[in-house]
Amino acid sequence: MDDDVMRPDTHHDPTPGLIPVPHGPATGDEALQLPFGHTPDPDHEKAIFGYLTQPDDIYTKDGTYWADLPLRERIAFVNKVQNEEAKQELKAIGRMMKKDPLSPVSWYFRNAVLPGAGLGLEGYVLFSIGNIEPLFKATWPQCWGHNATECSSNWIAAVTYLEVIGIMVGQLVVGVIGDWIGRRWGLIQDAAIMFVGLLMLTASWGLTLQGWVICYAWSLFFYGFGVGGEYPITATSSMENSVASGKLSTRNDRLHRGRKVTTAFLMQGWGQLINQALLIILLLIFHAGSGSPPYGLATVQWTFRLSFAIPAVGTLWLVYYRTYKMPHASRQLIAAKKKTNVTGYDFDSLAMTTRHFGGRLLATAGCWFCNDVFFYGNKLFQAQFIAVISGGSSSVLTGWIWNLYNVIISLVGYYLASLLMDNRFYGRKMMQQVGFLMCFIMFVVPAFKLEYYTSPAGIKSFQAMYFLSSFFNQFGPNSVTFLVAGEVFPTPIRASAHGFSACCGKAGALLASVLYNYIDTQTKFYVVPWFGLAGMILTWLFLPDTTGLDLKEQERRWSYIRTGKPEDYHGIAIHPMHLSLWERLRGVGKHYNPELDHKQKIEDMREEWAGKERMRREKEVNGQNSMGDDLEVDDFNDQVHQYFRNTTDQGMFVNDGSAGPSTHSRSRNNSEPPFASGANSKEVTQEKIRPDSPSTTQTPSSTRPVSEKEQ
């Protein structure tokens, strides 16, 4: 086309000498008028909808999905996207530091510390129980010793059992509450229960030593209920609110959802670190600067009670924050229920999930079970090498200091997991498989030569394997299980599925704590490694890889399953890259078709647009204000709106209670003549329709840190 030819989609001055039409002279700023009854050509549709249907972080310029590219091109494309994103993030950090050197710290506090505060408190208190047990043994051997005279051995064992059972009950119950009443209620309820539980632990007392043990055990059960609820609620709320605007499908969600959730989860590691450091400081303060026994009763009382009282202050603040600063935590759940006309718990979705995603549930629950056996078994190493290195020292500080080193190494694993969780060449599934494999190796090697590795000659190697098992547990299954247990399931039952998986995980911890009381150390090392091998096999066979797949696309597939038409979905959520081996063997991916999916997406968006138009018109008729109360931000630009206005059957605006994808959409008969060429069919330039144009509502491009002013 010549440069001097006027185009209707680019601005130009009115042509001199032409008589203006009634609405004024043509300037190119008019919205394209697409007459109803004609089908636009595919290139025209792609020009309008490209930024929605084929975003440039997962599609090439010619519309090829990154996972469909040949290996060399796939590597080049993924590296290009990730390198550009890294550069943008570094530039954003530089701009923030230029304005305020401490602004990255405040950004991290808002986006990682606050979402993970509950898990940080959980890590602090739960690991405190294990940390202070050696102090109790040294102070009250008549209860915690091998020849206890004042306390029942059953009640001493119940301290651990009731804690774990309380967590399991909380995971199941709060998971259901989160899907039934809402995420926000679950968040507030958990924080309140944990606060009361900490007060109970701080003030636990009894007329006798055994009476205090019973009070202490039941206080742990109550606190454990709140802690258990943190798992499904924190995971789902962090995942669903990973975009500040409330939308699900964004570049941010695809590129950084794993990092967003994992940085919240790793606060558990910071809780462990703070607890261990604080216990060391408190013991030195109340024991005259010495860590050696014997320990006075007043020293122990002050140390353990203050260790529970201090986090109670933070938990009270968490109750306030979740009550008054998180009013929209349930909005994605509300939107999902609204689409299916569900008001209470969605039992139909639960039944469909077990039928269509049973393999995924086996993967998330089974892998978490195997991981927690390992997580508990890690302590086996510590007791063995400390006994050799310390020369039989009876000071509790020796074990605490070595545990502090272990927590620091674990934190390195947490952070590395958050950095690589969204890497499309490593990602969730590979990280979990490698983590399980390395834990298996780190346990099976000393299992068959335990005498050598626990001798002075092999103790250094034994110690190295201990630290490596801690690292790969965090840089592997412990981080991945928390993320995928919610990510691979639909919104209506996401918290329930996560809670069930987490509960199965704690069943693994309970099994380990019971089993270890009845077998010797050598047998423990014979038993534990095989859970790592089992976890790796379950991951390989049943777990899909959702790295780079946004939540909205998964919800889109779910809408077809929910309406009983899973075979009509052709999108990337059933691409072989994003399915488990089990799902591929069952033929779930046989309906994947990029061309059909592109047309399907447009019709699905038409249905979404028509639904919002119906609501808007109903509110106008009723005299209500329709601005600002939508649950999801509209990401359609003016070109999309105009396209739908001119190509949508008016019957779609009649609210007949129908549901499901494109039930009223205009028929797309292949024999229908294509949209004729002419002024109205001229190609819309990318300049006009790009999502960052003035007429477009743009989705955030990344999770890079932004300053307060930019926000």
Side-chain angles (χ1 to χ4, degrees), residues 590-602:
K590 65 184 178 182
H591 300 294
Y592 173 67
N593 188 315
E595 289 300 321
L596 286 178
D597 183 57
H598 178 73
K599 298 176 182 178
Q600 198 178 56
K601 281 181 179 178
I602 295 175

Side-chain angles (χ1 to χ4, degrees), residues 333-651:
L333 178 65
I334 294 171
K337 286 186 175 183
K338 190 174 182 180
K339 290 178 181 178
T340 53
N341 296 320
V342 174
T343 55
Y345 190 82
D346 196 344
F347 288 100
D348 289 340
S349 289
L350 181 63
M352 289 182 180
T353 297
T354 56
R355 185 163 63 251
H356 290 276
F357 297 140
R360 298 184 177 197
L361 198 59
L362 177 61
T364 56
C367 291
W368 209 327
F369 178 89
C370 294
N371 174 68
D372 272 30
V373 174
F374 258 106
F375 199 67
Y376 194 90
N378 183 263
K379 299 296 182 183
L380 294 175
F381 279 98
Q382 184 173 307
Q384 296 299 315
F385 80 74
I386 287 177
V388 177
I389 292 177
S390 64
S393 172
S394 58
S395 173
V396 297
L397 273 184
T398 304
W400 284 358
I401 291 171
W402 280 111
N403 189 54
L404 193 65
Y405 296 153
N406 187 45
V407 173
I408 293 172
I409 292 172
S410 296
L411 268 174
V412 176
Y414 276 117
Y415 275 101
L416 191 57
S418 70
L419 290 176
L420 292 180
M421 191 68 76
D422 294 302
N423 186 291
R424 293 175 194 170
F425 294 127
Y426 197 68
R428 286 98 154 122
K429 186 166 184 173
M430 181 63 72
M431 185 181 295
Q432 182 155 297
Q433 286 179 287
V434 171
F436 269 129
L437 177 62
M438 292 303 296
C439 287
F440 167 72
I441 293 172
M442 293 303 108
F443 273 83
V444 80
V445 168
F448 294 95
K449 293 188 69 176
L450 187 62
E451 185 176 348
Y452 166 75
Y453 283 112
T454 54
S455 67
I459 196 65
K460 294 296 182 183
S461 300
F462 190 77
Q463 187 178 0
M465 286 186 284
Y466 162 65
F467 288 130
L468 283 172
S469 70
S470 296
F471 172 80
F472 278 104
N473 185 257
Q474 311 308 330
F475 181 52
N478 199 44
S479 295
V480 177
T481 50
F482 182 82
L483 170 63
V484 298
E487 189 178 56
V488 300
F489 300 109
T491 299
I493 53 87
R494 180 170 289 140
S496 300
H498 194 285
F500 174 78
S501 301
C503 180
C504 290
K506 285 304 174 186
L510 186 63
L511 171 69
S513 63
V514 174
L515 183 64
Y516 292 173
N517 288 329
Y518 299 98
I519 57 178
D520 59 21
T521 301
Q522 178 65 74
T523 307
K524 293 172 187 176
F525 273 94
Y526 282 146
V527 170
V528 170
W530 309 107
F531 285 94
L533 189 61
M536 186 181 72
I537 294 172
L538 283 173
T539 303
W540 170 71
L541 185 58
F542 293 108
L543 186 69
D545 191 356
T546 49
T547 306
L549 182 64
D550 65 58
L551 287 179
K552 188 171 185 179
E553 189 62 33
Q554 297 182 74
E555 291 301 308
R556 185 169 157 257
R557 179 195 173 195
W558 175 249
S559 69
Y560 283 84
I561 294 174
R562 191 70 171 75
T563 53
K565 301 177 181 178
E567 69 281 355
D568 289 348
Y569 174 77
H570 307 289
I572 58 176
I574 57 170
H575 189 286
M577 176 69 71
H578 301 304
L579 295 176
S580 67
L581 176 60
W582 174 253
E583 289 171 329
R584 295 198 298 271
L585 291 174
R586 294 178 61 228
V588 174
K590 65 184 178 182
H591 300 294
Y592 173 67
N593 188 315
E595 289 300 321
L596 286 178
D597 183 57
H598 178 73
K599 298 176 182 178
Q600 198 178 56
K601 281 181 179 178
I602 295 175
E603 294 308 310
D604 290 347
M605 285 188 283
R606 185 193 304 277
E607 180 74 15
E608 179 184 351
W609 176 85
K612 291 182 178 180
E613 282 292 299
R614 284 197 300 269
M615 292 177 60
R616 182 183 64 80
R617 294 185 183 190
E618 289 172 3
K619 289 180 178 180
E620 287 179 353
V621 170
N622 296 329
Q624 299 176 3
N625 183 6
S626 62
M627 300 298 292
D629 57 353
D630 285 341
L631 289 170
E632 293 186 31
V633 177
D634 189 353
D635 53 3
F636 298 154
N637 66 14
D638 288 349
Q639 300 292 337
V640 173
H641 279 289
Q642 190 62 40
Y643 176 91
F644 284 146
R645 288 191 189 101
N646 290 287
T647 61
T648 300
D649 188 344
Q650 291 299 307

Side-chain angles (χ1 to χ4, degrees), residues 87-100 103 704-707 710:
K87 289 178 183 177
Q88 291 299 320
E89 290 192 313
L90 290 174
K91 288 179 180 178
I93 293 173
R95 289 194 297 269
M96 290 170 64
M97 295 186 68
K98 188 175 181 180
K99 294 180 180 178
D100 179 2
S103 58
R704 62 176 181 270
V706 293
S707 65
E710 289 176 312

